[in-house]
Amino acid sequence: MSVVDEEPEPGAGPAAVIITVVVLIALIVVLFYGLAVLHWFGFDQPASVGTAPSVTPTPSVSASAVASASASP
């Protein structure tokens, strides 16, 4: 019986590695450009936790003040 040495199968070729690296770099560039320049998801707006104008009460004229002002001649 003889011993047969098998050569290992070649892995990913250098072209596949280069293509993968280029695709990953392009993906990073697109994400950076979209988030930093195009302001995806509204990241360029200031934080509005608890300070939104819709939750800030506005002073209103009371009904008694309006009635007394209109009743005085």
Side-chain angles (χ1 to χ4, degrees):
M1 215 169 149
S2 65
V3 177
V4 177
D5 289 333
E6 293 184 14
E7 293 185 18
E9 302 243 346
V17 173
I18 292 172
I19 291 172
T20 304
V21 169
V22 168
V23 167
L24 288 176
I25 290 173
L27 181 65
I28 291 170
V29 167
V30 166
L31 285 176
F32 177 78
Y33 182 75
L35 293 174
V37 178
L38 297 179
H39 307 293
W40 291 346
F41 308 114
F43 288 149
D44 60 335
Q45 298 173 356
S48 62
V49 177
T51 60
S54 62
V55 294
T56 305
T58 57
S60 61
V61 179
S62 65
S64 62
V66 170
S68 65
S70 63
S72 345

